[in-house]
Amino acid sequence: MALLKWDPFKDLITIQERMNRLFDETISKTHAPGEEIGGGWSPPVDIYETEEHIILKAELPGVNKNDIEVEIKNNMLVLKGERKFEKNVQEENYHRMERSYGSFQRVFTLPYIVRKDEAKAKYNNGVLEITLQKTKEQKPQQIKVEAK
């Protein structure tokens, strides 16, 4: 029997991810006056990094690629979109309706500064993959302090 080393930080990261999802879901269920009820859902994502890239994969089944927006601003990645309700079946004919429809927005703080001009996104079989190029880490610049 092999012994596994316990990593408490892994548990903390898992808890943080669950709390983030809970807050995302709670916020998306609150509606401002005039907003369409029933909208708001939160697609699950995986975010990982390689030596040179940060990669985000989001599950967006049933979302048209033209209804997806990706932005990078202030070292944050913003993922927005909408899954539209299919009108080919009348609502009163449904027996069960578990899929979420409407707009979504997820915002992720990036762990590194990335090159916006080299960002790439691919959408295949309902999975959006965003690849972001990390910038070379800048060395801290020493500032000379002068007496007055």
Side-chain angles (χ1 to χ4, degrees), residues 12-22 47 106:
L12 286 174
I13 290 171
T14 302
I15 291 170
Q16 181 181 7
E17 289 171 351
R18 288 181 182 171
M19 291 299 293
N20 287 343
R21 178 162 290 194
L22 177 66
I47 302 173
R106 304 272 323 254

Side-chain angles (χ1 to χ4, degrees), residues 25 28-29 31 36-42 100-105:
E25 289 171 358
S28 70
K29 289 179 183 175
H31 300 284
E36 182 180 336
I37 302 295
W41 60 285
S42 185
S100 298
Y101 297 92
S103 60
F104 66 87
Q105 178 173 325

Side-chain angles (χ1 to χ4, degrees), residues 6 15 34 38 43 51 54 56 67 69 75 81 91 98 111 116 137-138 145 147:
W6 178 59
I15 291 170
E51 217 171 284
I54 297 172
L56 177 139
D67 293 330
E69 293 179 40
N75 203 42
E91 286 186 42
E98 294 182 351
K116 296 178 192 179
E137 289 193 39
Q138 297 176 349
V145 179

